[in-house]
Amino acid sequence: MAQASTTLAEDLRGLFRGMLRVDAVARRLYARDASIFEVEPQAVAIPQDADDLAVLLKYCQEHQLPVTARGAGTGLAGESVGAGVIVDLSVHFQAIRQIASDSVTVEAGVRYAALAAALAEQGRRLAPDPASGDVCTIGGMIATNASGSNLYRHGYIRDYVQELEVLWDNGESARLISPAARPCPLKRGESGETGVRPAAPPAAEGPRTADIRRGVTELLSAHRHLIACRPTATPYDRCGYRLDDVWTPAGVDLARLLVGSEGTLGLVTAARLRTIPLPGGCAMLLLGFASLEAAVRAGSDCRRFPLTACDLLDQRLLSLRRRPAHPGALAIPPSVAAALLVTIEADSPEQALERGWGLANTLCSAAGAVLLAEPSCDPQQQARMRAVRQEAVRGLYALGPGPRPLPGIEDLGVPAEELPAFIAALLELLQRREVTAALLIHLLTGQVHLRPLLDLEQPQDRVRLWTLAEEVHSLVLRLGGTVSTQHGVGWARTPWVERQAGPLYPLYRELKRIFDPRHLLNPGKIVGPDPSREAWPLYEPLAQTPAATLSGNGRRPLPVVFDPAAAAEAARCSRCGDCRTHQLPQRMCPLFRLSELELAAPRAKAELFRLLHNHPQR
Ligand SMILES: Cc1cc2nc3c(=O)[nH]c(=O)nc-3n(C[C@H](O)[C@H](O)[C@H](O)COP(=O)(O)OP(=O)(O)OC[C@H]3O[C@@H](n4cnc5c(N)ncnc54)[C@H](O)[C@@H]3O)c2cc1C
Ligand code: SF4
């Protein structure tokens, strides 16, 4: 690999203006994202702009080099991890080009939080609000069809994409204008919709774009009846390529098709996105339940109210959160086995509060709930309520050595009415397999974030996780659910895509062939698995004893004093990517803030300890 990387660097010298790193350290630091997977790339490229990226893509196509786009690397499924060249779009591509009255044009590397702040000044917002929004990029959100806790009311980002600027595998650029800025089909209640617009005038298309459009049109029209049948019974499904809603009277909506394709069909450099007004009023409340089952059953009552979000935290999450108990933090009595954090947006604060009290009274009288925090529109009280969730999740990540909450099976979706049956079966399965786990459930949409606590440093737990994934995913599919409802497919879920898609799967393969005939764009994801590697390329465990000590081996210009205990401590980094934040007071590293380079992020420094421990000779 070293020779090939050097050749790449030499070939691109003078052609590629951005940063190109082929050294072992950079390659290792980009070998992981927020998932449990690790694949060392051949090179890391940080293009200056779209023209620079086009040069790189053209070269990679000519030399059969795989290319994987990367934003903030917060994917939980290994979506941005791959062999070949990792293209980091989070450093440049930072412009918010234009904020119009009901849309925004933004480049791919802009962080969601930065965009949200700019839009808020105009009284607008991009409605889907992922929990990773402080750090994740717009490009990553589009590529994963991101959504937030407010999915029930505001839908996926797919419903907000009006136009994409993309580059195909050969470096040709295209402007893909969605034939209509359609209303959100998942929308509940008022959402600041601007309605259907007339189709945009056709733009001059390059030859590759024309070929792709022709190929996709033929494929979809030949299989119109097949693509009309969704493989799942839940509408909250982002698995595979979504073909059922890209056919329009004005032709195929290529922009919409690309959303959620995880960089496997083309690379997005900029987007025009529909925005909606900030809510007139927003109330939050916190409810407690004596059992997880009772809280899950309350979901049907919740869905009768016009709620925006309803997140259920299980007892394990709550117990972790109880530990820090800051002064002023909301108290959660030990008798509470599950808590519901509810958000209600409305036209005015009064209306939001009224709806909040309506829900609280119903759940307290009919479902045995207790009110842990009254409906409130006060930002400080809302921050205290949100902190319950944040502290619980952080508490989970901060667990010491040993079993840790793992992503990999964390993105399950079942029809909301099946949720009680699913949770009962899931708990029974976990008990049978003697696995403890934490659950965060989006009650309105039937989405379950399952985090089994296993120790991937132990060989037996690496096998147990795969076995558990197989059983849990089978259960989900039996109930008409999806293995990927919010996060990406990536390495984690590609092995189950074919089973979920059924007769649609050959169409996915054909679609991939039309866009990327050489399988160079993020290969092995969605359409796969890649037979040349194991289905789950799990990260390398920490070596029991370091292979060699660094100091005094004579190969380093500086003497490095290295403490193996530090590696064990650094290995506790959950890879969540929170340290890439620019938000106060969480932001951490001035070097990262200055350079925006992943290599300078605290996460990379933690990874460096692991690398030094396992491979001191490198
Ligand atoms: C703590 C935590 C909470 C999370 N909460 C949510 C949540 O609430 N909702 C949610 O949807 N997700 C969530 N995620 C998952 C993840 O943050 C999202 O998928 C996010 O949109 C990824 O953005 P990113 O910039 O980190 O992209 P990356 O992880 O870097 O990349 C993700 C995928 O997008 C592709 N990609 C990136 N940029 C481009 C581009 N410009 N063109 C083409 N392809 C590209 C990559 O190749 C990869 O396939 C969470 C993750 C963490 C760690
Ligand atoms: S260093 Fe901390 S914030 Fe950064 S990825 Fe690791 S655990 Fe998350």
Side-chain angles (χ1 to χ4, degrees):
M1 183 187 282
Q3 181 54 44
S5 299
T6 312
T7 310
L8 170 77
E10 283 166 1
D11 285 356
L12 283 172
R13 192 165 300 134
L15 293 174
F16 181 68
R17 288 175 284 115
M19 185 190 282
L20 186 69
R21 296 281 301 258
V22 295
D23 54 288
V25 169
R27 296 205 317 257
R28 286 295 290 215
L29 296 185
Y30 275 88
R32 296 189 62 193
D33 56 3
S35 73
I36 52 176
F37 303 108
E38 175 171 341
V39 178
E40 187 171 324
Q42 198 163 325
V44 175
I46 304 180
Q48 292 277 350
D49 51 34
D51 290 343
D52 210 20
L53 178 56
V55 167
L56 181 74
L57 285 169
K58 195 162 179 298
Y59 176 89
C60 289
Q61 194 210 35
E62 284 165 7
H63 293 80
Q64 301 285 308
L65 273 175
V67 173
T68 297
R70 179 166 171 130
T74 63
L76 290 158
E79 307 95 299
S80 68
V81 168
V85 182
I86 300 293
V87 181
D88 184 343
L89 296 164
S90 71
V91 182
H92 306 294
F93 299 88
Q94 285 289 345
I96 299 176
R97 289 190 199 153
Q98 190 193 15
I99 299 183
S101 61
D102 62 355
S103 69
V104 61
T105 305
V106 62
E107 294 187 353
V110 171
R111 283 171 298 111
Y112 172 83
L115 180 61
L119 288 172
E121 286 176 16
Q122 316 288 325
R124 311 286 300 178
R125 61 182 162 149
L126 175 61
D129 62 343
S132 52
D134 273 0
V135 291
C136 73
T137 64
I138 296 300
M141 285 179 66
I142 291 170
T144 55
N145 193 15
S147 57
S149 286
N150 63 16
L151 170 66
Y152 184 68
R153 172 151 176 183
H154 292 302
Y156 290 92
I157 197 170
R158 185 182 178 81
D159 303 312
Y160 297 84
V161 171
Q162 297 184 331
E163 181 179 337
L164 292 181
E165 290 175 25
V166 301
L167 291 174
W168 304 126
D169 58 345
N170 65 352
E172 180 182 305
S173 65
R175 253 184 89 197
L176 306 175
I177 301 174
S178 189
R182 66 203 72 216
C184 162
L186 299 176
K187 177 177 81 86
R188 298 291 189 287
E190 63 279 42
S191 188
E193 288 292 329
T194 52
V196 178
R197 290 181 185 167
E205 287 189 338
R208 187 89 179 88
T209 314
D211 279 352
I212 288 173
R213 189 179 294 283
R214 193 176 320 110
V216 176
T217 304
E218 282 170 13
L219 179 71
L220 296 192
S221 38
H223 299 280
R224 244 175 146 150
H225 297 298
L226 185 57
I227 62 175
C229 309
R230 294 279 311 284
T232 58
T234 170
Y236 306 105
D237 171 28
R238 57 143 324 283
C239 185
Y241 300 122
R242 285 288 306 273
L243 305 176
D244 53 299
D245 59 0
V246 295
W247 191 262
T248 79
V252 66
D253 187 342
L254 285 182
R256 194 168 174 81
L257 180 58
L258 247 72
V259 180
S261 62
E262 300 184 22
T264 63
L265 304 181
L267 270 62
V268 175
T269 54
R272 178 160 54 88
L273 304 167
R274 181 168 60 89
T275 61
I276 65 169
L278 291 170
C282 179
M284 290 183 81
L285 65 150
L286 190 66
L287 292 151
F289 291 82
S291 72
L292 176 66
E293 290 79 0
V296 171
R297 277 196 307 273
S300 56
D301 285 323
C302 292
R303 282 188 291 278
R304 284 204 288 275
F305 285 81
L307 307 184
T308 303
C310 190
D311 293 346
L312 188 162
L313 309 179
D314 78 347
Q315 189 150 33
R316 183 161 305 278
L317 282 170
L318 291 175
S319 66
L320 287 165
R321 185 264 161 193
R322 279 185 197 115
R323 272 178 215 159
H326 307 297
L330 287 172
I332 310 252
S335 57
V336 170
L340 274 192
L341 180 62
V342 181
T343 308
I344 303 162
E345 291 171 2
D347 289 340
S348 65
E350 295 73 25
Q351 192 182 40
L353 282 177
E354 188 189 320
R355 290 175 181 175
W357 278 112
L359 176 76
N361 291 335
T362 302
L363 293 190
C364 290
S365 61
V370 290
L371 203 49
L372 300 173
E374 291 183 356
S376 171
C377 293
D378 171 33
Q380 284 186 354
Q381 177 67 351
Q382 291 192 354
R384 276 193 281 274
M385 289 189 231
R386 267 195 294 271
V388 172
R389 178 186 152 148
Q390 285 158 357
E391 286 167 11
V393 173
R394 285 191 188 132
L396 200 59
Y397 286 144
L399 288 175
R404 302 180 54 78
L406 300 177
I409 329 175
E410 87 295 344
D411 203 25
L412 314 164
V414 293
E417 61 281 5
E418 297 285 359
L419 203 49
F422 173 63
I423 294 298
L426 181 64
L427 294 180
E428 191 273 323
L429 170 59
L430 291 169
Q431 197 174 25
R432 192 156 27 90
R433 291 286 166 211
E434 297 179 353
V435 175
T436 48
L439 290 170
L440 194 156
I441 302 172
H442 300 302
L443 211 49
L444 301 172
T445 46
Q447 297 172 294
V448 179
H449 298 310
L450 166 73
R451 296 287 190 134
L453 274 84
L454 292 170
D455 184 359
L456 287 189
E457 303 296 330
Q458 306 301 328
Q460 67 275 19
D461 275 9
R462 295 166 89 88
V463 177
R464 279 172 91 197
L465 185 62
W466 173 272
T467 311
L468 193 63
E470 172 57 29
E471 290 185 312
V472 170
H473 287 156
S474 299
L475 178 60
V476 164
L477 295 179
R478 270 204 303 281
L479 292 172
T482 174
V483 300
S484 180
T485 181
Q486 187 179 67
H487 309 151
V489 166
W491 293 116
R493 292 170 265 275
T494 292
W496 287 274
V497 172
E498 182 169 7
R499 207 183 309 167
Q500 176 169 325
L504 283 176
Y505 194 69
L507 269 58
Y508 291 0
R509 280 201 183 284
E510 183 55 19
L511 195 78
K512 173 75 173 166
R513 194 197 58 73
I514 292 167
F515 281 89
D516 178 25
R518 294 174 183 79
H519 274 255
L520 295 177
L521 298 181
N522 211 0
K525 317 279 173 60
I526 301 182
V527 168
D530 176 354
S532 68
R533 62 180 65 248
E534 56 195 327
W536 262 16
L538 294 177
Y539 71 79
E540 183 186 31
L542 211 56
Q544 287 307 309
T545 47
T549 49
L550 265 182
S551 41
N553 69 0
R555 298 186 54 200
R556 304 270 158 176
L558 293 172
V560 179
V561 180
F562 183 64
D563 174 8
E569 191 58 27
R572 290 175 56 188
C573 164
S574 69
R575 311 272 322 154
C576 64
D578 269 4
C579 47
R580 292 179 55 104
T581 187
H582 289 233
Q583 309 295 111
L584 286 169
Q586 295 97 327
R587 69 185 189 191
M588 298 177 200
C589 178
L591 287 182
F592 173 71
R593 230 163 51 233
L594 203 65
S595 66
E596 300 263 3
L597 291 174
E598 170 74 19
L599 299 171
R603 170 168 77 171
K605 292 162 197 158
E607 187 62 20
L608 202 55
F609 272 99
R610 229 170 54 94
L611 174 62
L612 286 170
H613 178 85
N614 280 7
H615 303 280
Q617 71 285 0
R618 296 188 71 181

